[in-house]
């Protein structure tokens, strides 16, 4: 019996057969400390877990946790049978829609994601131009009498800084990987033991594209993720977490690796490294200009620096959005590359959903959000903030259509488009829809029946979706609009009065009015909040981040909602249908939040609770907490609306007081 036969049976879902083959291989092994024998034991733990035989899986696991092999111990610590998911039990057995017989078939993108070359070129050109202008202005300010010399210095500074960042940033990433996540570098043989098809895909792509096999890393963390970084394709790093192999099948893991290889082939990491550096230079110029203008000095130079700092900040904001656009575009093209390379777009669709499920599943066990997932948000294959809705649906449902329904918000709600502008990744529903079009081109059924989802989307009430959207956008920025409006009114009133207090007071009055008006919309009457569950709320295609939906939820508090913050006051609520973040606001403001997080949160975790709050849907759904009642009679009250009115009223009062005071003086 060969080890590979057992691994193939497991990856194809034939768990009973896999157990038989792996047991036979183990019994015939002479050296019990050999890598192959230990690998067979690891996969036996997974196989027994998959058929629900936790007792047998635990017996094998106990041997592995006590193994003298350090790597085996590390694997066992991250794969305790009682906490492993059961991805192929009846509740999570999704019918696979199939894959193409051949790979490498050219697939039309149909306008999905735009043009990667155009997006990269325009973004880099604009960012480079911004940095060049700023560098030039700073150099010329330094009283250089020869403009041509100043021009040459500006070009030199820009090029040297970017070249240094381009070539040295991967080394800095290596150091941070080792320090933060204890990344271990592995050879292709170890990847092949974990996922045979992945090794095949890596060899195939590297041979066809004539690139060196990337440096392969694994992080011993059960939160599933994958990312790549580097300067040049032949020196790229491709890192995944152990959770990827836990939650995904062999063919799905292969599509994730193919996606990351697509980033390497397209030079995405190099483009993003340069673009990110350029954006950060803008911020550096802004912060440097601010520092130099705080003290005294030549007024002419000071004014010039203030102007340069203001322009730098504008460029920084514009550059950030250009960078986000480029990041989203490269994700679409990496998905397309994976679909063409593997002939399995449905596998990548499932992989994205299972990664979301894995993030939710691991989050339900941890009292604090994963530092890995938070720290690699921009690099990773999936934006973890979008995981809650998709992962929740997959977690409890054996019906792909129920998972597809949570994509309605991504595809049709105008808030989805608006929120996506601030995201490094496209919304999951849009990625799955694009992958479905590739499956259709290959003559395959589509995963999650996206055709039906699109059909249902066409029946949504367009008036309800779009009728108040533009008004809501205005209300969403009511504080800023109120401040600017107050400033304009102050200037207009100043022309008819000599009260200089109007310039200071009216913007504050406008800011306060904006806060109050926004609060009236955000926090409606909650006295008739309906009892519901988390999945139902997340499946609402009309949900909004502005207009809170009063809801009554029952579940268990399973941890804090603040990543890496031991005194965080936000909470995670889990009910039978999923997990949701609860945002808390103390009546005593930030100090009260800190004290609540320090003294009370720990005692609440693990309690069964009933909650009332305002549900909101953005990239990440959440609920602004109103009231929480614990099983032991504990009551917690939260004051979001109270603080909005206090702040709004405070600014109005301060603005009026300033206007009157300065007028009297």
């Amino acid at each position: 019996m060969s080890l590979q036969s057992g691994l193939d049976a497991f990856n194809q879902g034939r768990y009973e057969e896999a157990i038989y083959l792996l047991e036979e291989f183990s019994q015939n092994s002479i050296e019990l400390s050999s890598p192959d024998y230990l690998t067979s034991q690891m996969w036996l733990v997974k196989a027994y877990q998959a058929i629900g035989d936790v007792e047998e899986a635990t017996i094998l696991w106990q041997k592995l946790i006590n193994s003298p092999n350090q790597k085996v111990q590390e694997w066992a610590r991250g794969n305790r049978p009682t906490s492993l998911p059961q991805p192929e039990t009846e509740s999570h057995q999704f019918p696979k829609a199939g894959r193409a017989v051949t790979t490498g078939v050219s697939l039309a993108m149909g306008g999905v994601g735009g043009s990667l070359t155009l997006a990269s070129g325009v973004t880099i050109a604009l960012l480079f131009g911004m940095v060049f202008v700023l560098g030039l202005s700073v150099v010329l300010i330094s009283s250089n009498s020869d403009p041509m010399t100043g021009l040459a210095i500006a070009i030199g500074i820009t090029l040297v800084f970017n070249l240094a960042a381009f070539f040295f940033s991967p080394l800095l990433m290596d150091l941070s990987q080792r320090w933060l996540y204890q990344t271990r570098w592995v050879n292709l043989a170890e990847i092949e033991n974990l996922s045979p098809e992945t090794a095949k895909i890596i060899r195939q792509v590297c041979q066809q594209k004539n690139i060196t096999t990337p440096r392969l890393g694994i992080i011993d963390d059960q939160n599933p993720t994958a990312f790549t970084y580097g300067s040049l394709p032949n020196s790229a790093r491709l890192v995944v977490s152990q959770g990827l192999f836990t939650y995904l099948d062999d063919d799905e893991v292969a599509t994730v690796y193919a996606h990351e290889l697509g980033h390497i082939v397209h030079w995405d990491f190099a483009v993003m490294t340069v673009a990110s550096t350029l954006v950060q230079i803008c911020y550096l110029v802004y912060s440097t200009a601010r520092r130099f203008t705080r003290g005294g000095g030549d007024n002419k130079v000071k004014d010039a620096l203030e102007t340069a700092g203001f322009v730098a900040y504008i460029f920084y904001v514009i550059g950030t959005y250009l960078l986000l656009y480029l990041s989203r575009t490269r994700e679409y093209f990496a998905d397309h590359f994976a679909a063409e390379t593997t002939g399995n777009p449905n596998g990548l669709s499932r992989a994205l959903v299972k990664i979301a499920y894995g993030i939710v599943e691991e989050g339900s066990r941890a009292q604090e959000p994963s530092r890995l997932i938070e720290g690699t948000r921009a690099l990773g294959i999936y934006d973890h903030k979008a995981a809650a809705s998709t992962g929740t649906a997959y977690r409890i449902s054996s019906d792909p259509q129920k998972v597809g329904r949570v994509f309605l918000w991504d595809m049709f709600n105008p808030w989805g488009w608006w929120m996506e502008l601030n995201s490094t990744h496209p919304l999951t529903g849009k990625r799955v829809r694009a992958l479905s079009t590739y499956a259709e081109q290959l003559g395959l059924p589509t995963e999650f029946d996206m055709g039906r989802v699109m059909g249902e989307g066409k029946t949504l009430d367009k008036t309800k979706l779009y009728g108040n959207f533009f008004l809501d956008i205005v209300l969403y920025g009511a504080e800023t609009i109120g401040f600017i409006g107050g400033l304009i009114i102050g200037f207009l009133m100043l022309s008819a009065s000599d009260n200089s207090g109007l310039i200071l007071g009216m913007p504050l009055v406008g800011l306060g009015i904006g806060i109050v008006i926004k609060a009236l919309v955000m926090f409606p009457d909650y006295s008739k909040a309906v009892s519901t569950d988390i999945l139902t709320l997340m499946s609402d295609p009309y949900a909004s981040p502005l207009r809170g939906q009063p809801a009554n939820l029952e579940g268990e508090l399973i941890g804090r909602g603040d990543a890496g913050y031991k005194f965080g006051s936000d909470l995670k609520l889990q009910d039978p249908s999923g997990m949701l973040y609860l945002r808390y606001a103390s009546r005593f403001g930030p100090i009260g939040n800190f004290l609540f997080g320090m003294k009370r949160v720990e005692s609440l975790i693990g309690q069964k609770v009933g909650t009332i709050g305002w549900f909101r849907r953005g990239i990440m759904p959440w609920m602004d907490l109103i009231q929480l009642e614990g099983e032991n009679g504990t009551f917690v009250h939260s004051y979001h609306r109270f603080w909005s009115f206090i702040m709004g009223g405070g600014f109005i009062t301060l603005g009026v007081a300033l206007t009157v005071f300065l007028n009297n003086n």
Side-chain angles (χ1 to χ4, degrees), residues 414-470:
W415 279 110
W417 169 81
W418 184 261
M419 294 292 176
E420 192 182 46
L421 292 176
N422 292 295
S423 177
T424 56
H425 293 65
L427 295 174
T428 308
K430 294 183 178 181
R431 293 177 72 178
V432 172
R433 171 57 179 159
L435 289 164
S436 295
T437 63
Y438 307 148
E440 290 168 355
Q441 292 178 49
L442 293 170
L444 302 172
T446 59
E447 209 75 47
F448 310 115
D449 198 2
M450 288 302 292
R452 180 175 295 184
V453 173
M454 297 300 293
E456 185 175 348
K458 294 178 181 178
T459 67
L460 296 176
D461 187 340
K462 300 300 187 293
T463 301
K464 192 173 180 181
L465 274 176
Y466 298 99
N468 294 321
F469 176 65
F470 294 107

Side-chain angles (χ1 to χ4, degrees), residues 14-184:
R14 306 193 310 272
Y15 301 116
E16 297 283 357
E17 181 183 345
I19 290 171
Y20 171 78
L21 294 171
L22 291 170
E23 289 282 16
E24 284 288 316
F25 176 83
S26 300
Q27 291 170 8
N28 293 328
S29 296
I30 299 175
E31 180 55 60
L32 301 186
S33 61
S34 68
D36 284 348
Y37 174 82
L38 294 173
T39 298
S40 70
Q41 297 301 290
M42 295 177 189
W43 284 90
L44 273 170
V45 171
K46 287 189 175 185
Y48 277 118
Q49 180 74 16
I51 65 171
D53 192 344
V54 178
E55 182 178 356
E56 190 64 34
T58 302
I59 293 172
L60 291 172
W61 176 83
Q62 288 173 340
K63 295 178 181 178
L64 295 175
I65 197 67
N66 295 312
S67 169
N69 187 307
Q70 186 65 31
K71 289 184 178 180
V72 173
Q73 286 186 27
E74 292 174 357
W75 181 90
R77 280 195 292 270
N79 291 271
R80 183 186 299 272
T82 54
S83 64
L84 273 174
Q86 298 181 26
E88 301 301 334
T89 59
E90 184 177 352
S91 64
H92 292 108
Q93 178 63 55
F94 270 45
K96 295 186 177 182
R99 59 187 298 174
V101 177
T102 59
T103 62
V105 177
S106 180
L107 300 172
M109 292 189 69
V112 173
S115 168
L116 183 61
T117 303
L118 180 61
S120 302
V122 170
T123 301
I124 294 296
L126 288 175
L127 291 174
F128 188 89
M130 290 178 182
V131 174
F132 172 73
V133 170
L134 291 168
L136 178 60
S137 65
V138 171
V139 170
L140 295 180
I141 283 171
S142 63
S143 302
N144 194 312
S145 58
D146 184 357
M148 293 306 295
T149 302
L151 177 63
I153 295 173
I155 295 174
I157 290 173
T158 305
L159 292 177
V160 169
F161 193 95
N162 283 280
L163 284 172
F166 182 78
F167 287 108
F168 288 107
S169 60
L171 300 177
L172 296 176
M173 279 288 292
D174 287 345
L175 292 174
S176 66
Q177 291 289 311
R178 187 183 311 160
W179 177 49
L180 293 173
Y181 313 124
Q182 292 77 53
T183 303
R184 58 186 179 88

Side-chain angles (χ1 to χ4, degrees), residues 575-627:
D575 73 1
S577 74
M579 183 183 73
L580 186 67
Y581 288 96
L582 305 178
R583 291 185 177 176
Y584 170 80
S586 168
R587 73 172 74 187
F588 302 110
I591 294 176
N593 288 350
F594 175 80
L595 294 175
F596 177 78
M598 181 175 67
K599 294 183 176 181
R600 296 198 62 188
V601 166
E602 198 66 34
S603 65
L604 291 171
I605 293 174
Q607 283 196 41
K608 302 288 185 182
V609 299
T611 65
I612 297 176
W614 293 284
F615 172 78
R616 306 187 193 283
R617 177 75 189 267
I619 297 296
M620 178 186 73
W622 77 95
M623 188 164 82
D624 288 332
L625 186 64
I626 300 170
Q627 177 181 299

